[in-house]
Amino acid sequence: MACFTVPAAEAIITTVAEKIIKSKEKNQTVKKSQEADSVKIPFSTKLSWLNKMLWGGSVLLAFEHVWHGEVVPFFPFLTAVENGEVSEMLHEMATAGVSMALLVTAVWGIMVGVVSIFEKRGKTTGSAKLAGGLA
């Protein structure tokens, strides 16, 4: 019914956060004491991964709901609201929507954790060795 709105709401919030973080990262000066060969991905880029995952999933879910006639192009847009099934819709949002958003965020967290391990390994062994190990 409307489970796609929960990941979409999270995507809106993280998109705004990404824009704010990106502007702060641009304003910060790069320290010259950093090694030239160390690879560090900015947090705004990592947050953009989450945004793409959330927006992509939300769009696909919205399309699926349109396909099955649960979302219509006229007010009130959701057939559950039109049919008086608001409590069922809110229950689906609270269960399926929240669990999908949490799962996507957890997968993103694992991705960021793995990348940070590679970043740390790249600092200690040198990026040339890291690149050779991945190939």
Side-chain angles (χ1 to χ4, degrees), residues 11 24 36 40 47 81 89 95 105 113 116-117 120 126 133:
K24 287 183 180 182
K40 177 114 172 96
L47 197 55
V81 174
M89 179 188 70
T95 56
T105 305
S116 70
I117 290 170
K120 288 177 185 175

Side-chain angles (χ1 to χ4, degrees), residues 75-98:
F75 188 79
F77 306 112
L78 300 169
T79 56
V81 174
E82 187 177 5
N83 298 336
E85 302 169 353
V86 176
S87 64
E88 291 177 34
M89 179 188 70
L90 292 175
H91 178 52
E92 181 185 336
M93 289 171 63
T95 56
V98 170

Side-chain angles (χ1 to χ4, degrees), residues 9 14 18 20 40 43 45 64 74-77 98 108 110:
T14 57
E18 177 195 352
I20 293 169
K40 177 114 172 96
F43 185 71
T45 302
E64 186 269 335
F74 49 85
F75 188 79
F77 306 112
V98 170
W108 171 77
I110 292 168

Side-chain angles (χ1 to χ4, degrees), residues 1 5 16-17 27 32 40-44 47 49 59-60 66 72 82 89 99 104 116 118 120 122 130 135:
M1 291 179 213
T5 58
V16 171
N27 292 337
K32 294 183 180 181
K40 177 114 172 96
I41 300 172
F43 185 71
S44 62
L47 197 55
W49 301 341
V59 168
L60 286 173
V66 169
V72 291
E82 187 177 5
M89 179 188 70
S99 61
V104 170
S116 70
F118 280 116
K120 288 177 185 175
L130 176 65

